[in-house]
Amino acid sequence: MAPVTVRATGAILAAISVSMVLFSYFLGKHHSKNSSSKRKTKPSSAIASKTTPRNGLVDAIGNTPLIRINSLSEATGCEILGKCEFLNPGGSVKDRVAVKIIEEALESGKLVEGGVVTEGSAGSTAISLATVAPAYGCKCHVVIPDDAAIEKSQILEALGAYVERVRPVSITHRDHFVNIARRRAAEANELALKHKKEEQSCVKGREQINGHMYEGETQDSSCSSNCKGGFFADQFENLANYRAHYEGTGPEIWEQTGGHVDAFVAAAGTGGTVAGVSRFLQEKNPNVRCFLIDPPGSGLFNKVTRGVMYTKEEAEGRRLKNPFDTITEGIGINRLTQNFLMAKLDSAFRGTDREAVEMSRYLLKNDGLFLGSSSAMNCVGAVKVAQSIGPGKTIVTILCDSGMRHLSKFFSAEYLSQYDLTPKATGLEFIESR
């Protein structure tokens, strides 16, 4: 992918304003699931009431609406439903993951209040972590590839996160954004340990009179620090990601459909969403068919359909640049994560950049849905599933985030024209056969 050259400062102000409006909607419309502002993530046993305010930002996460996508339903003869994850306070499905990761880390002692959460992210998980971390008294340090939409790093900075933009390289390279984030957490832990030893040294060196600590002198400034250590969120391999969807998103879908769901489809980046939802739904009903929609450059389609991710020449270890040939962000990968390995999938479909671009404009025109690139790809997947299994079925997908984070690339006419992706379709003729 080409480096981003468009600066969308004005767009970011709009994005932040819309996010605040969405958050106000949740505070006014949805109820509190318990009395703690730091609630535990748990299975949804009942869809939230719309009459009682929720208790703070963290409690506003989850129980998002499941809506019928009218244009796609009418065109395919299936009931195509979208889980509106863009209505979470942080604006994406990753809010659930951020809460689950931080809560489990705090419970285990791997993270303490005042500590810094580090993550390597193409944007959405980082934004969610930066959104919820302050609610737990923590800070956020994010490493993001510099070809991600510029508005994502601008949002992160506005949220108070420390942001490092780095060149995209293979995951095997020490300077891949994920590997850098892992090092930043280790560095924070080393610094915290150093300061702890200095504090102990200062206390021991302070003068005692008659067995009591002398309070006439203040402790040397070098012995005090706000550094409480770091914790690497590790969204790709941390199974808290999978559990957030197995315990939350999946049960919500099951309850919102009354158990009447025939198929589920979604793309995978970390794999947490497709894994958690697919496993939960198939445990409730083994007849629910679950599918992957995979963007260009990703090896997951081959893995699901053929059992082999890539050819020997395409092996991840031989790539020293970004291997993904797609303008979609946050989905597609060329390795098997611990989260993706938890998925229960029946088959997979390929999606193209053109299909995703055309779908986003189709939904905006026909349904008023302003969706990001991964959401659009998921809807491409929903149509392909409908064509595959036939009419009269109920198909659910995930509307991950809105188009507000994609203005400088996915919704930029100038950017799309560089890749001959200017939208032209009037209907669904852009959907390619499997």
Side-chain angles (χ1 to χ4, degrees), residues 337-392:
T337 67
Q338 291 300 308
N339 283 288
F340 186 79
L341 288 172
M342 299 298 292
K344 298 186 70 173
L345 298 172
D346 294 280
S347 191
F349 298 89
R350 284 196 182 279
T352 67
D353 283 348
R354 174 160 295 282
E355 286 176 316
V357 170
E358 294 283 10
M359 178 61 77
S360 68
R361 275 56 175 188
Y362 179 89
L363 293 172
L364 184 58
K365 177 181 178 181
N366 291 282
D367 299 271
L369 287 170
F370 183 39
L371 302 175
S373 58
S374 56
S375 301
M377 187 66 82
N378 283 350
C379 290
V380 169
V383 172
K384 294 193 176 192
V385 170
Q387 293 174 341
S388 174
I389 66 177

Side-chain angles (χ1 to χ4, degrees), residues 33-54:
K33 291 196 290 182
N34 63 34
S35 60
S36 170
S37 63
K38 298 178 182 180
R39 63 128 170 94
K40 307 296 182 187
T41 305
K42 61 189 179 202
S44 174
S45 59
I47 299 304
S49 165
K50 294 185 178 181
T51 59
T52 307
R54 293 191 182 185

Side-chain angles (χ1 to χ4, degrees), residues 39 59 124-125 129 141 160 181 201 227 236 243 297 305-306 314 336 345 353 364 373 381 388 394 401 424:
R39 63 128 170 94
D59 208 43
S124 289
T125 301
L129 286 168
H141 182 125
S201 176
C227 182
F236 288 88
R243 286 188 286 272
T305 59
R306 303 171 189 170
E314 294 174 321
L336 292 176
L345 298 172
D353 283 348
L364 184 58
S373 58
S388 174
T394 297
D401 66 0
K424 304 172 183 177

Side-chain angles (χ1 to χ4, degrees), residues 151-173:
E151 52 265 39
K152 292 184 178 180
S153 58
Q154 291 175 323
I155 292 171
L156 284 164
E157 290 171 348
L159 288 169
Y162 182 86
V163 181
E164 284 186 71
R165 289 176 65 88
V166 300
R167 66 189 181 98
V169 294
S170 164
I171 187 65
T172 60
H173 196 290

Side-chain angles (χ1 to χ4, degrees), residues 317-337:
R318 300 188 178 207
R319 297 175 184 263
L320 293 180
K321 62 180 181 178
N322 185 3
F324 308 140
D325 184 24
T326 179
I327 65 166
T328 61
E329 294 186 356
I331 55 175
I333 194 171
N334 266 321
R335 68 184 191 275
L336 292 176
T337 67

